[in-house]
Amino acid sequence: MELWLFALLRAAWIAGTLPILVASLPFSPLRSFHDALLGVAKRGKIRQSQSNRWTVPQRFFLHFYMVAVVWTTVLLAATWSYAYRTAPLVSEPLRFSTIASYLTGGSHIFSMHKSSPTPAEHRYKVWQSVFLLLLMEVHVLRRLIETIYVFDYSPSARMHLLGYLTGLYFYVAAPLSLCNCAPEVFKFGLGIVAELAIRSNNQMPSSEFDWWGSLDPVLNLGWSQWIGAATFFWGWIHQRRCHAILGSLRENTEQANEYLIPHGDWFEIVSSPHYLAEIVIYAGFVVASGFADLTIWLLFGFVVTNLVFAAAETQRWYIHKFDNYPLSRRAIIPFVY
């Protein structure tokens, strides 16, 4: 199950990334393909001149984060419970050589057939998944709150149905990609459900839960996890600020379809700083994984290509819409693109 699950996830990220890369090539024969893909990717203000056929309201973004919060919470709870019961790290810290082997060679990042990890490597992998899912939980909870309380989507704002379905898939597959022990967690969860079913008519034995024992392994992971967390929160904070700026623009307009040039924070250097911040957030996941998980690298690649593609069109829309738009702003990568 482990091989097939991660093979499917990797194949899905590659399948989502390659069409965007092909559409971005500057060849005239690919122009029609580029326009077709852009028609699916466009949403909100940059889509208003197009047909509403096969579209849904942009406020359906709320569905993405409702699904993400519920799914990530369930996966985090199951993984944390599995880690607490089967992979204790409290009294047996990992040796540096073991961790270095896991991060640099022992994990066989580009191989579909991984060698069996040592017990120490396995425990480290499980608690690393808990750490990554904790970060994802923090991310999607904020996005849910922002969608409800910060953004006021125009009634005319639409997105393509395929884009909507892709978003739903993304927020199921992304947390799953961060949990590199997902097959084991699923088996563990099924075992717990079966045990509860068997004992449903009997009195359940009481058991004590060691809260510190469940938290201590997370706090004692390696340097890469904490550098990754710092990178994550750097992007997280700036995305929150940029979303607040975008949300405030709606409050300062008199008409539903009126738009203003955003200013402040990373908007002074790029046109889509919230996309740039999202890239930084997912770069944090790559760092926190120890740079050693191919599935997370492919997830990151999809995020980068998708957002760069969308940011380029947003940049064109701003320049066409506003005669006084600051031309010094790049689309998404400061001073580069």
Side-chain angles (χ1 to χ4, degrees):
M1 179 180 177
E2 179 177 2
L3 179 63
W4 281 105
L5 175 62
F6 289 107
L8 287 173
L9 286 170
R10 293 171 182 180
W13 297 131
I14 293 171
T17 302
L18 286 180
I20 301 175
L21 291 176
V22 172
S24 300
L25 295 175
F27 300 138
S28 55
L30 296 174
R31 188 64 192 178
S32 59
F33 179 65
H34 174 275
D35 293 343
L37 192 61
L38 194 59
V40 174
K42 281 184 177 181
R43 59 177 181 265
K45 58 181 179 289
I46 65 175
R47 188 183 177 83
Q48 289 186 345
S49 61
Q50 292 190 312
S51 169
N52 287 337
R53 186 181 182 186
W54 299 104
T55 65
V56 296
Q58 194 179 5
R59 66 176 181 273
F60 281 15
F61 257 68
L62 177 64
H63 301 170
F64 298 163
Y65 305 119
M66 292 175 64
V67 169
V69 167
V70 171
W71 172 235
T72 304
T73 301
V74 170
L75 191 57
L76 172 60
T79 305
W80 208 329
S81 178
Y82 171 74
Y84 174 73
R85 296 196 185 191
T86 66
L89 283 180
V90 178
S91 60
E92 191 177 344
L94 291 174
R95 299 188 308 273
F96 174 79
S97 59
T98 300
I99 297 176
S101 173
Y102 175 72
L103 297 182
T104 60
S107 61
H108 300 288
I109 180 173
F110 296 112
S111 173
M112 290 296 296
H113 302 283
K114 299 181 180 180
S115 60
S116 298
T118 66
E121 290 173 340
H122 173 73
R123 292 195 297 272
Y124 183 82
K125 180 182 73 170
V126 171
W127 284 104
Q128 178 182 274
S129 295
V130 173
F131 189 86
L132 293 173
L133 288 171
L134 271 172
L135 296 181
M136 177 59 85
E137 183 80 4
V138 171
H139 180 47
V140 297
L141 274 173
R142 176 181 58 80
R143 295 300 301 271
L144 177 63
I145 293 170
E146 287 175 339
T147 304
I148 297 173
Y149 296 107
V150 176
F151 292 115
D152 181 18
Y153 294 112
S154 167
S156 62
R158 312 285 295 183
M159 59 179 167
H160 198 279
L161 179 61
L162 287 179
Y164 172 72
L165 295 176
T166 300
L168 290 176
Y169 170 80
F170 178 87
Y171 283 105
V172 172
L176 199 57
S177 297
L178 299 177
C179 184
N180 56 21
C181 57
E184 302 160 34
V185 172
F186 291 156
K187 292 177 183 178
F188 173 78
L190 290 174
I192 294 296
V193 171
E195 182 180 355
L196 291 175
I198 292 173
R199 298 181 177 181
S200 60
N201 296 325
N202 301 321
Q203 183 177 359
M204 294 293 294
S206 61
S207 60
E208 295 183 358
F209 185 80
D210 181 4
W211 290 99
W212 177 249
S214 69
L215 184 62
D216 185 60
V218 177
L219 300 177
N220 285 283
L221 289 170
W223 59 268
S224 63
Q225 280 69 53
W226 293 108
I227 294 177
T231 304
F232 168 90
F233 280 108
W234 181 42
W236 190 92
I237 290 169
H238 281 284
Q239 189 177 66
R240 184 187 65 81
R241 292 174 179 171
C242 293
H243 282 167
I245 292 170
L246 288 174
S248 68
L249 295 180
R250 299 286 298 163
E251 299 173 359
N252 298 325
T253 57
E254 297 180 357
Q255 299 180 8
N257 294 327
E258 184 180 353
Y259 294 96
L260 301 174
I261 299 175
H263 292 278
D265 202 68
W266 285 355
F267 274 108
E268 301 305 322
I269 54 176
V270 295
S271 296
S272 298
H274 48 313
Y275 292 168
L276 172 61
E278 187 86 354
I279 290 173
V280 173
I281 285 169
Y282 280 86
F285 288 130
V286 172
V287 177
S289 71
F291 303 95
D293 194 305
L294 179 58
T295 309
I296 296 178
W297 272 108
L298 293 174
L299 165 62
F300 177 65
F302 172 79
V303 169
V304 172
T305 54
N306 180 54
L307 295 181
V308 169
F309 187 75
E313 182 61 22
T314 301
Q315 174 85 338
R316 285 189 286 269
W317 183 89
Y318 274 125
I319 293 174
H320 181 265
K321 178 74 174 179
F322 301 103
D323 294 333
N324 61 336
Y325 191 74
L327 297 181
S328 60
R329 291 187 190 180
R330 300 298 183 179
I332 189 169
I333 304 175
F335 315 113
V336 177
Y337 178 76

